[in-house]
Amino acid sequence: QFNEHIIPFLIEEKRQIIKKSGILEYYPNQSTFGDVGGLENLKVWLSMRAKAFTAEAHTFGLPAPKGILIAGVPGTGKSLIAKAISQEWQMPLVKLDIGKIFGSLVGQSEQNTRSALKSIDALGECVVWIDEIEKGMSGMKSSGQTDSGVTARVMGTILTWMQEKTAPSFVVATANDVSALPPELLRKGRWDELFFVDLPTPEERLQIFSIHLQKRNRDITSYNLNSCLQKTEGYTGAEIEQIIIESLYIAFDKGRELQTEDILQAISQSIPLSQTMREQVTALREWAKDRARLASAAKAELKERRLT
């Protein structure tokens, strides 16, 4: 008899299928939307589609969502939100590593691609995570001269599968360098939506500080986070996490509990990516202004005000 006790066995069977492929990776995951600071627009969009794979949704006339492309500044939570989707939707998370597809033998890469996609279709409901998809796409234009067209054929197969697939899998692709993405990847029909994750706002940075302090069993009311926010303009979520870790090292070395001054010291010793790669980050943000939907509700509101 099918009941909730069968689910762990089904997930284990799916994990074994993934393991045998040699190309796909199964990610046991506990991250939730609560672990992601900000990105409210993206969270709301995803929450509306949480039940889109049910029979009731199909009867209602809703098509199953295909996937999303999340572009943005490195370290802003793109991979974390991909992991959180699987937990929120109660679906297995499968990572498709494009680098593992390519083999040295003639026809091996194409065969690996077909085998991986068949395995995904056989899994049924799952979240397929393609991290930094631009790296796999970067060699498409010169593929005919450098590898006899192997890269172009492999990526063409993946793109066709993404558009034509009927299996209830949801593809989440992340990208840091959108300039390396071919036009055929960005066009409508490949994705349900293209989101851009910008540098966090002060409110979002406050959430991120709170999340990482609470993860390490600290009471956020014990710290002057407003002073930390003033000194972290342009910092990403990943950089804020590293600040908290560094401040813990500082406090531990001093033999006392973590204090606000330790966090401020860690901030003073760090340089954000938005400063070290200012030109690239600025170009990325300019590209997204009229080409992508903003994942942050605060950023979207600010954009709307500017337009009016």
Side-chain angles (χ1 to χ4, degrees):
Q1 184 178 359
F2 187 85
N3 53 46
E4 66 273 12
H5 301 295
I6 302 298
I7 295 177
F9 295 98
L10 294 177
I11 293 176
E12 177 61 22
E13 283 297 315
K14 291 186 176 185
R15 191 183 70 82
Q16 292 298 329
I17 293 173
I18 295 166
K19 185 177 180 180
K20 290 176 183 177
S21 73
I23 300 171
L24 304 173
E25 298 178 50
Y26 175 78
Y27 271 73
N29 181 51
Q30 299 299 322
S31 299
T32 67
F33 287 168
D35 298 317
V36 183
L39 310 187
E40 294 303 324
N41 272 356
L42 178 54
K43 290 177 184 177
V44 170
W45 189 92
L46 290 166
S47 297
M48 289 178 61
R49 285 153 180 80
K51 298 180 180 180
F53 295 96
T54 62
E56 292 81 4
H58 180 73
T59 303
F60 191 75
L62 285 177
K66 293 182 178 181
I68 54 174
L69 174 61
I70 308 176
V73 180
T76 48
K78 299 186 296 298
S79 297
L80 182 59
I81 197 73
K83 296 175 183 178
I85 293 171
S86 71
Q87 182 69 14
E88 293 287 338
W89 290 7
Q90 290 297 295
M91 291 183 181
L93 177 64
V94 182
K95 183 177 181 181
L96 174 59
D97 190 340
I98 296 178
K100 291 183 178 180
I101 287 177
F102 296 97
S104 57
L105 302 178
V106 175
Q108 185 178 8
S109 302
E110 294 87 339
Q111 177 58 37
N112 288 343
T113 304
R114 291 190 292 269
S115 176
L117 298 181
K118 284 182 180 179
S119 296
I120 292 172
D121 289 340
L123 290 173
E125 292 185 1
C126 64
V127 177
V128 183
W129 173 30
I130 307 178
D131 196 28
E132 297 185 5
I133 192 172
E134 75 273 17
K135 292 183 178 179
M137 298 284 186
S138 60
M140 285 185 65
K141 292 182 180 179
S142 59
S143 180
Q145 291 77 36
T146 58
D147 60 5
S148 301
V150 173
T151 301
R153 288 196 296 273
V154 166
M155 300 315 301
T157 300
I158 293 176
L159 291 175
T160 301
W161 170 80
M162 286 167 52
Q163 182 167 335
E164 303 297 335
K165 68 183 179 70
T166 56
S169 56
F170 186 78
V171 180
V172 182
T174 64
N176 294 325
D177 183 9
V178 289
S179 65
L181 296 175
E184 55 266 35
L185 181 69
L186 298 174
R187 75 170 180 80
K188 290 293 184 181
R190 304 287 187 197
W191 314 98
D192 296 315
E193 191 59 90
L194 167 60
F195 280 95
F196 178 74
V197 184
D198 204 347
L199 294 170
T201 63
E203 294 79 10
E204 291 171 334
R205 294 202 303 277
L206 178 60
Q207 290 183 36
I208 296 168
F209 269 112
S210 302
I211 287 169
H212 291 298
L213 284 169
Q214 290 170 343
K215 272 188 175 182
R216 291 156 181 87
N217 302 315
R218 268 30 183 219
D219 181 4
I220 61 174
T221 60
S222 302
Y223 307 97
N224 183 5
L225 294 182
N226 286 328
S227 62
C228 299
L229 296 181
Q230 294 173 7
K231 296 184 179 297
T232 51
E233 179 70 31
Y235 280 69
T236 66
E239 289 166 340
I240 292 173
E241 180 181 12
Q242 290 306 309
I243 285 170
I244 296 299
I245 293 172
E246 179 63 22
S247 64
L248 287 169
Y249 274 110
I250 293 172
F252 186 75
D253 184 61
K254 292 178 180 178
R256 56 168 174 74
E257 181 51 50
L258 178 68
Q259 296 180 7
T260 303
E261 65 181 66
D262 301 320
I263 302 176
L264 293 174
Q265 181 180 341
I267 294 172
S268 67
Q269 296 172 349
S270 65
I271 301 175
L273 183 71
S274 60
Q275 183 175 334
T276 57
M277 299 184 66
R278 183 182 292 109
E279 293 78 11
Q280 293 90 328
V281 171
T282 301
L284 178 61
R285 299 175 77 185
E286 284 295 323
W287 176 91
K289 279 185 177 180
D290 301 313
R291 294 179 174 90
R293 187 170 176 177
L294 296 177
S296 168
K299 294 283 186 179
E301 183 180 353
L302 181 60
K303 179 181 178 181
E304 186 175 344
R305 286 178 182 175
R306 287 174 179 172
L307 291 175
T308 56

